[in-house]
Amino acid sequence: MSFLPTLLISCLLQGGGEFCERKGENVRFGGGGFYYTHLSPRADSPQNINENAGGFITIHGRIAPANGQIQLVGDLNLGFGKSNLKNDMKASFLPSDIEVNATNFGTQMRVKFGANTYKATSPIYLNVLYTLDSYLSDISGKRGFSRMLQYIGVEVEGRVPLSRKIRLEYGVGYDVVVNGYYGFSADKDKKDSTISAYSYALGGYVGFSYRILKRFHYYMRTNLRYESLGESSPINAWHYPKSDNFLAGVELGFGF
């Protein structure tokens, strides 16, 4: 997603928002809070859960021709939070010296390309996406576990003008994991605990943007996501179980 800094510099050097507005391009900066659970649905152990809560920052960049019929979009999200890994999950699946309460760190990089299937004033884009998602349960990397997922997916994304200044924005998508693994800090062999079972995610957002000036706006949206991840392969008897994961968050920011 190296085009994000290039797009930002281009907008600033060529008269701020005027160049971006005319070309159908924009940049957004935002942040917010989230709650994220990694939950194993085992009936015999309902407390197998890893809870995370924290905040994140995001950069969004979009390139499109003036008519907006196609678009190329990139997003970078960086999040920090606090992990709370329940002890029975730790005892059952993970090494005994894994830290159960630590500062976690996550990144998500997403690129999507889409075509408008409706009119220019109320576009509905059909997007194809690639996502790289990584997570560290302990940011120090010494006493936690890591996770890396690569997705490909499809998304329907739309924008509906409600007035001259207010616009409704929404999106819903489906992703399939094409590569994924866990890593355990306590495992001295440093092998990957791969996810081979079918895994997927469903997600969406809804919000609005409000135009303050001709080429400047702020936005707010809520994000929801569900992940169904398969069990990882054993590494020295340790593995991460099949999990149903839920994320909810609120995002605020500005753009031009």
Side-chain angles (χ1 to χ4, degrees):
M1 292 193 302
S2 61
F3 75 89
L4 284 173
T6 303
L7 174 58
L8 175 59
I9 294 171
S10 297
C11 292
L12 294 176
L13 292 179
Q14 301 193 40
E18 181 178 359
F19 172 79
C20 297
E21 180 77 12
R22 185 174 64 251
K23 295 295 185 180
E25 303 169 354
N26 61 65
V27 177
R28 280 180 170 179
F29 299 91
F34 69 89
Y35 176 74
Y36 185 35
T37 66
H38 304 240
L39 174 66
S40 172
R42 289 176 31 148
D44 59 334
S45 186
Q47 296 304 311
N48 286 335
I49 185 172
N50 177 19
E51 297 177 316
N52 300 264
F56 67 94
I57 58 174
T58 182
I59 303 174
H60 163 98
R62 176 176 178 265
I63 298 176
N67 60 14
Q69 288 303 109
I70 60 173
Q71 64 173 2
L72 177 63
V73 180
D75 297 293
L76 173 62
N77 301 298
L78 304 175
F80 296 85
K82 187 71 174 180
S83 295
N84 181 18
L85 188 64
K86 301 297 184 180
N87 286 330
D88 59 344
M89 183 175 184
K90 171 182 168 181
S92 300
F93 306 110
L94 303 178
S96 59
D97 60 350
I98 288 287
E99 178 61 62
V100 296
N101 291 293
T103 300
N104 60 63
F105 175 67
T107 65
Q108 184 185 80
M109 294 179 289
R110 170 168 283 196
V111 177
K112 57 187 178 183
F113 175 80
N116 184 12
T117 61
Y118 197 49
K119 56 187 179 181
T121 55
S122 300
I124 300 176
Y125 288 96
L126 179 60
N127 299 317
V128 293
L129 310 92
Y130 167 78
T131 304
L132 176 62
D133 190 294
S134 64
Y135 171 83
L136 288 172
S137 68
D138 179 6
I139 194 172
S140 71
K142 297 179 180 179
R143 300 187 61 190
F145 70 91
S146 61
R147 187 192 71 187
M148 190 282 294
L149 301 170
Q150 294 185 72
Y151 294 95
I152 57 172
V154 294
E155 179 190 52
V156 175
E157 178 185 32
R159 295 187 279 274
V160 181
L162 302 179
S163 71
R164 294 183 60 186
K165 291 189 175 183
I166 301 175
R167 184 173 66 184
L168 175 69
E169 303 180 353
Y170 64 89
V172 60
Y174 173 78
D175 297 299
V176 176
V177 176
V178 293
N179 184 32
Y181 64 85
Y182 293 90
F184 308 118
S185 301
D187 175 40
K188 305 307 180 185
D189 294 334
K190 299 297 183 183
K191 296 178 181 177
D192 296 334
S193 177
T194 59
I195 302 172
S196 57
Y198 173 68
S199 302
Y200 67 93
L202 298 170
Y205 69 89
V206 62
F208 71 90
S209 61
Y210 182 85
R211 182 167 57 86
I212 303 172
L213 302 173
K214 183 177 181 180
R215 301 179 184 92
F216 185 83
H217 66 273
Y218 70 80
Y219 73 94
M220 180 181 73
R221 72 185 197 182
T222 58
N223 303 306
L224 297 174
R225 186 171 177 86
Y226 163 73
E227 299 169 340
S228 177
L229 302 181
E231 182 178 20
S232 69
S233 60
I235 297 294
N236 293 344
W238 307 117
H239 71 288
Y240 203 93
K242 181 183 184 303
S243 61
D244 291 323
N245 308 326
F246 300 90
L247 179 145
V250 177
E251 181 180 333
L252 301 167
F254 64 92
F256 53 89

